[in-house]
Every structure is written in structure tokens, then in C-alpha cells.
Amino acid sequence: MSLTDPFTLCIITLVGLAILGLPVGHSMIVASIFYLWLAGLDMGTAAEQLLNSMYTSYTLLAVPLFILAAEFMNSGSMTMRLLHFANAMVGRFRGGLAQVNVLQSLMFAGMSGSAIADAAGMGKIMMRMMTEGGKYRASFAATLSAVTAVVAPILPPSIPMVIYALVSNASIGFLFIAGILPGLLISLSQMVIVGWQARRHNFPTEPPVPVRELPAITLRALPALMLPVVLIVGLRGGVMTPTEAAAVAALYALFVSVVIYRDVGLREFYQSLSSAARTTTSIGMLIAGALVFNYVVTVENIPNSINRFLLGFELTPLTFLIIVNLILLVLGAFLEGTTIILIVVPVLIPTANALGIDLVHFGVVVVFNVMIGLVTPPYGLLLFVVKRVSGAPMIEILRDSLPFLLGLLAALALVTAFPSISLFLPRLMGYGG
């Protein structure tokens, strides 16, 4: 491959445009059209690939619908009711508010599917509560709000899982279920780290909620807590497809906010639609660019070339997964997670298949890796989100994030080495992988 090779010039163009500030989705489309021109192929193929892929993929409809569900929940009082419930459960322990932060992220993850939505929504509230009266350092509150948000796209529903299903043809329903135990493992590790930090720094406790108030608090939060249950039961009962489940999630969130909690009016409804449309447009353009670029990768036969190269080393499944972890962790420090799933992962899937690695387990490992990238510098999008909200110095946020980052890596190692952590529940529910 020389510097004048069409594919090499395509990559140089893509990287150059991205560095100059053009959105990655647009950069991929421009670079792909440039490749088609250099290779003497019909440049209209780019539009054909985009239209065929975007408008014939029923699965992709799940993305805007899950985004809309999260917006409806954020516009009403669902999130605050979950917060009160989490405080009633763990607020009385040492470092209570920090433990509440972990628990609320776990619960909110079962509804939003987005780490950014968690950090920017509930994370903002938690940071304010934790720093009031100097209870916690601003940097620690910011760090905790970032690392706990990582669990959101691993638990169902998960937007990255939907995108992975698009490129792998793995079952979205089983992918959702496979993320449950790894997600719980992440939150458990974070609670352990918070407990250790609480004893070390003598974090305060919160006033205990009287036992007699627990039933009322639970009842108020119950409609919000039932959303992930409705989704999983509907998916596994065969009542709805994953895309229909996304529509049900949005309708359920709207129903609870308008009819049960009665705190969302026309103004909040419009704002939710507008915000969901903006987010969907951003993700949609990225997906469109990736679909066109993937055609270029297929024309160049890159996946099969890499497959032959890797299999030449006689890798074991575990060795391959370790290599994948290293690659994705490094890429996650510099690239957005959706870009990695759409561009890099399709190249790795043929090798995973050849080695007999279950694609549902592989999907959990992939999504876990790219979520760690959200709290890994220099990209670390979640770190920048919480820094902007908290105003804490980035160097202090990075220092406080180290124990949690090590906990995430330990959990990733366990999920990678023991596929049963991901596959136990799917197999229990009929998965044959």
C-alpha cells in the first residue's frame, strides 16, 4: 500500500478533515466519495449505500426512540423520584450521598441508555447535592458522576448495543439481557471503592429515612422503576421487537410523566422533542458516514485481510479478546465510541466468528471498552462534561478518577475472561450461544 493508493489517500483525507474540525460523519462521507473518484467507481454509490442502509434498517429506529424516552424522563420528576428512592436505600451509610450517586446511575441506566444523558442530567443534580456545605470535594463529586454514568449504555436499554447489533447482526434482545450482570458488577465495584474512600476520608452520612416512609417513597418511584422491567418482559415474551420496545419506552415515559406524575406540559413536551431531534441528527449523521465508509472498507476487503493476518498467529479466543481490549481502550482515549463501533468493530467481527467467540459476549466486551473510553484522557468526553458543570480542575478530576478507572478495568477483565458473566442470563432465557 503506497501513499498514492486510493484507500491510503482516503484515510489521510478522513483524518485531515477531522483534525481541521469537520464532524467525523461528514469527514467519512467526503473521504469515501474521494475514494470512489480515485478508484474510478461511480460516486453515486455513496448516496446509494447511505439510502439503502439508513432507510431499510428497522433497527435504527430504536436509537431516536430511546433518546426520546430519556428526554421525557428528564423533563419531568421521574429522575428526582428515583433520587429520593436511592437516598432512602443507601443514604444512611458512610459516604451516603456518594453511594446514592452510584445507585441512582444504576437505576437511571435502565431508562436512558446514554452515559452523557446520565452525567448531564442526574449527574448535575448529584454534583450540586454533594458539594453543598463542603460535604465532598468538587473534583470527587465530578469524578463519581462521570464514572457512574459509564454503566448506562451497558444495562438495557442501550443505544451503543443497538448500533453494535446493526453491524454484527447479533440479537438486540439478548444483547440487552447480556449487559445486566456486567452492569451490576460495575456498580458493585464502584460501591466498594466509595466505601473504601468513605472510611479513608471520613465522608459524612445522611440523615436516615424513617422506615415508615419507605413504602411511600418506593410507591412514588415505582412507575419509573418499572420501565426496564416492561422492556425486558416484552422483549423476552415475544410481545415486541427491540424497535417496538423503544417506542413503548418513549410512550411509557410520556404516560408516566403526563398522566401519573402530571408534571410535563406542552412546553416540556416540545422541548423534549426538540432536544431528542438534535441528538438524533448528530448520531444519525455519524451512522450515515460510517455506513458509506464501511462500503469502502468492504471494497478494499479489509476485514478478510485482517482476519487472515490475525489467524496466522494462531490466537486463542482469550488472547484475541485481550488484543481487542487493548486496541479499543487505546482508540477510546482518542475517538468517540459510536465511531469505534461503526468503523473498527466490523473489521474485527470476522476474526471473532472464526475463533468461535459468541457475538453477544463480544458485543458486551466492545461496549464496555468504548464506555471506559468516555472517562479516559485525553478524549474522555464524560470528564469534560462534569468538569464544565462542576468547575473543578481537570488534574484533580483525573487524580480522583484513578481508583474507579482501575475498578472498571478489573471488571472488564472479569467479563472478558469469563463469558458466562455476560451469557448466563441470556442462556437462562433461551439463548443458544
Side-chain angles (χ1 to χ4, degrees):
M1 186 179 289
S2 66
L3 289 177
T4 58
D5 178 80
F7 186 69
T8 303
L9 292 174
C10 172
I11 297 298
I12 293 173
T13 302
L14 194 162
V15 174
L17 291 174
I19 290 174
L20 290 174
L22 189 69
V24 175
H26 294 78
S27 300
M28 287 189 287
I29 292 174
V30 172
S32 300
I33 293 174
F34 184 48
Y35 168 86
L36 293 172
W37 177 68
L38 291 174
L41 300 173
D42 181 8
M43 288 187 287
T45 305
E48 181 184 350
Q49 289 296 314
L50 193 155
L51 291 172
N52 286 343
S53 301
M54 290 290 285
Y55 293 103
T56 60
S57 178
Y58 184 60
T59 301
L60 277 179
L61 279 175
V63 175
L65 291 170
F66 279 131
I67 292 171
L68 183 60
E71 291 295 337
F72 284 148
M73 286 181 283
N74 277 328
S75 65
S77 64
M78 291 180 72
T79 52
M80 288 306 300
R81 292 170 190 264
L82 289 176
L83 184 57
H84 293 153
F85 176 75
N87 182 58
M89 294 297 102
V90 297
R92 67 187 68 214
F93 302 118
R94 177 65 59 185
L97 269 182
Q99 297 286 12
V100 168
N101 200 336
V102 178
L103 185 57
Q104 66 80 20
S105 286
L106 180 65
M107 293 186 297
F108 191 69
M111 287 168 282
S112 72
S114 168
I116 303 300
D118 187 356
M122 291 294 288
K124 183 177 181 180
I125 298 171
M126 287 304 310
M127 280 183 272
R128 184 178 68 246
M129 292 176 62
M130 290 178 68
T131 54
E132 279 179 349
K135 293 179 181 179
Y136 297 84
R137 299 188 313 275
S139 61
F140 180 79
T143 294
L144 192 59
S145 297
V147 297
T148 56
V150 167
V151 76
I154 296 173
L155 286 170
S158 166
I159 293 172
M161 292 284 195
V162 173
I163 296 172
Y164 171 80
L166 176 69
V167 300
S168 68
N169 291 322
S171 164
I172 298 178
F174 286 123
L175 280 168
F176 282 179
I177 296 169
I180 294 176
L181 290 184
L184 294 175
L185 179 63
I186 291 172
S187 294
L188 177 61
S189 69
Q190 290 171 344
M191 284 187 161
V192 170
I193 294 170
V194 166
W196 169 67
Q197 295 271 41
R199 290 191 297 272
R200 183 183 177 193
H201 299 290
N202 196 31
F203 289 158
T205 59
E206 297 302 303
V209 176
V211 175
R212 65 179 181 275
E213 295 182 14
L214 290 178
I217 294 173
T218 303
L219 186 62
R220 285 194 292 269
L222 189 60
L225 293 171
M226 285 300 294
L227 176 56
V229 177
V230 170
L231 292 180
I232 293 174
V233 170
L235 285 170
R236 293 315 316 137
V239 178
M240 51 184 127
T241 67
T243 304
E244 290 166 350
V248 168
L251 183 61
Y252 181 88
L254 180 63
F255 175 81
V256 170
S257 296
V258 174
V259 178
I260 298 179
Y261 293 155
R262 299 182 181 180
D263 51 15
V264 170
L266 287 176
R267 180 179 179 181
E268 292 80 10
F269 178 76
Y270 172 78
Q271 289 174 343
S272 296
L273 289 177
S274 177
S275 179
R278 288 194 298 269
T279 305
T280 300
T281 301
S282 176
I283 295 176
M285 184 55 69
L286 188 60
I287 293 174
L291 291 170
V292 176
F293 183 74
N294 281 342
Y295 174 75
V296 173
V297 171
T298 302
V299 169
E300 287 288 319
N301 204 27
I302 300 298
N304 289 333
S305 299
I306 292 179
N307 182 32
R308 288 193 299 270
F309 174 76
L310 291 174
L311 291 178
F313 290 99
E314 298 183 358
L315 300 173
T316 66
L318 181 58
T319 305
F320 172 72
L321 287 175
I322 292 172
I323 294 173
V324 169
N325 282 342
L326 294 175
I327 292 172
L328 296 184
L329 287 172
V330 171
L331 290 176
F334 299 95
L335 296 174
E336 196 270 336
T338 304
T339 305
I340 295 173
I341 295 174
L342 288 168
I343 299 299
V344 179
V345 173
V347 176
L348 301 172
I349 285 175
T351 307
N353 265 325
L355 291 171
I357 296 171
D358 186 90
L359 288 186
V360 170
H361 173 234
F362 189 63
V364 174
V365 171
V366 165
V367 172
F368 202 149
N369 272 284
V370 298
M371 290 306 105
I372 291 177
L374 290 176
V375 289
T376 306
Y379 176 72
L381 184 58
L382 283 176
L383 298 178
F384 288 102
V385 169
V386 297
K387 178 188 182 301
R388 185 173 66 248
V389 173
S390 68
M394 180 59 79
I395 188 66
E396 294 183 10
I397 294 176
L398 292 176
R399 180 198 63 203
D400 288 338
S401 69
L402 184 58
F404 294 99
L405 187 57
L406 293 175
L408 286 171
L409 292 174
L412 173 62
L414 289 173
V415 171
T416 301
F418 302 101
S420 57
I421 296 176
S422 302
L423 298 177
F424 174 74
L425 289 181
R427 286 170 177 165
L428 201 63
M429 297 186 180
Y431 179 59

